[in-house]
């Protein structure tokens, strides 16, 4: 991943403005978040994160798609799209990454670490945490539906 330097702050604010994760943030709060965090560009097949990473970075996909893999695996476990995030388990619990994420196409991610989060004003920190919780809840609903669809398809009818 390379730091994203070729896009203006105004363009990044426009991109972030379209992302559901940031819907509860004011423009000023989005600007501050951009100032404090890092934004990276990933080319297709580049890793956003690996299970071998020893960090607790949290990534929000701003554009593009990322596939989720288990180390050494070739079968994708899922695809993360713009507006979704990865790394929340290690970010919250400060534990190793549970999966590897690889860019499927040109990807832009916003990276947040614990030090950056703790340095934010309380209001912004709370909004960030609320957005993470909302995103995790959406993922649980989605995965529950996937499980239900699987059981409907493959379970014997009684």
């Amino acid at each position: 991943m390379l730091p994203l330097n070729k896009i203006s702050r105004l363009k990044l604010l426009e991109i972030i403005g379209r992302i559901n994760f940031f819907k509860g943030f004011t423009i000023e709060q989005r600007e501050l978040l951009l100032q404090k965090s890092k934004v990276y560009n990933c080319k297709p097949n580049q890793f956003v994160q690996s299970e071998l990473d020893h960090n607790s970075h949290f990534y929000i996909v701003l554009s593009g798609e990322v596939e989720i893999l288990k180390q050494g695996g070739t079968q994708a476990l899922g695809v993360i799209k713009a507006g979704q995030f990865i790394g929340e388990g290690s970010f919250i619990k400060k534990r190793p990454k549970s999966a590897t994420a690889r860019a499927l196409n040109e990807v832009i991610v916003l990276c947040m670490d614990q030090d950056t989060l703790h340095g934010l004003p309380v209001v912004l920190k709370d909004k960030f945490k609320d957005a993470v919780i909302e995103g995790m809840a959406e993922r649980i609903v989605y995965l529950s539906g996937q499980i239900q669809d699987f059981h409907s398809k493959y379970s014997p009818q009684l």
Side-chain angles (χ1 to χ4, degrees), residues 25-26 28-37 112 114-129:
F25 294 63
T26 66
E28 293 79 16
Q29 290 169 334
R30 292 174 189 169
E31 286 178 359
L32 181 58
L33 199 60
L34 274 177
Q35 288 172 8
K36 300 289 185 180
S37 56
M112 176 68 68
Q114 288 290 333
D115 292 337
T116 303
L117 180 69
H118 293 305
L120 294 175
V122 173
V123 172
L124 186 52
K125 191 183 323 182
D126 287 345
K127 284 186 178 186
F128 189 88
K129 289 177 182 179

Side-chain angles (χ1 to χ4, degrees), residues 3-75:
L4 187 64
N5 300 321
K6 296 178 184 175
I7 294 181
S8 70
R9 286 281 182 207
L10 188 58
K11 182 67 175 171
L12 278 174
L13 281 170
E14 179 187 323
I15 292 169
I16 286 175
R18 291 185 251 143
I19 302 292
N20 199 35
F21 185 93
F22 301 102
K23 71 178 183 229
F25 294 63
T26 66
I27 291 172
E28 293 79 16
Q29 290 169 334
R30 292 174 189 169
E31 286 178 359
L32 181 58
L33 199 60
L34 274 177
Q35 288 172 8
K36 300 289 185 180
S37 56
K38 295 182 176 98
V39 181
Y40 294 102
N41 184 43
C42 298
K43 301 287 183 197
N45 294 316
Q46 275 190 313
F47 292 104
V48 176
Q49 74 174 29
S50 166
E51 290 169 80
L52 304 176
D53 290 346
H54 297 288
N55 64 49
S56 58
H57 294 166
F58 175 86
Y59 300 95
I60 302 168
V61 178
L62 300 180
S63 70
E65 295 178 325
V66 175
E67 67 180 341
I68 304 301
L69 307 158
K70 287 302 279 181
Q71 187 68 28
T74 57
Q75 175 95 18

Side-chain angles (χ1 to χ4, degrees), residues 94-111:
K94 295 180 186 161
R95 60 180 173 85
K97 303 287 187 197
S98 62
T100 294
R102 181 173 56 199
L104 287 172
N105 43 41
E106 191 90 12
V107 172
I108 298 173
V109 294
L110 182 138
C111 177

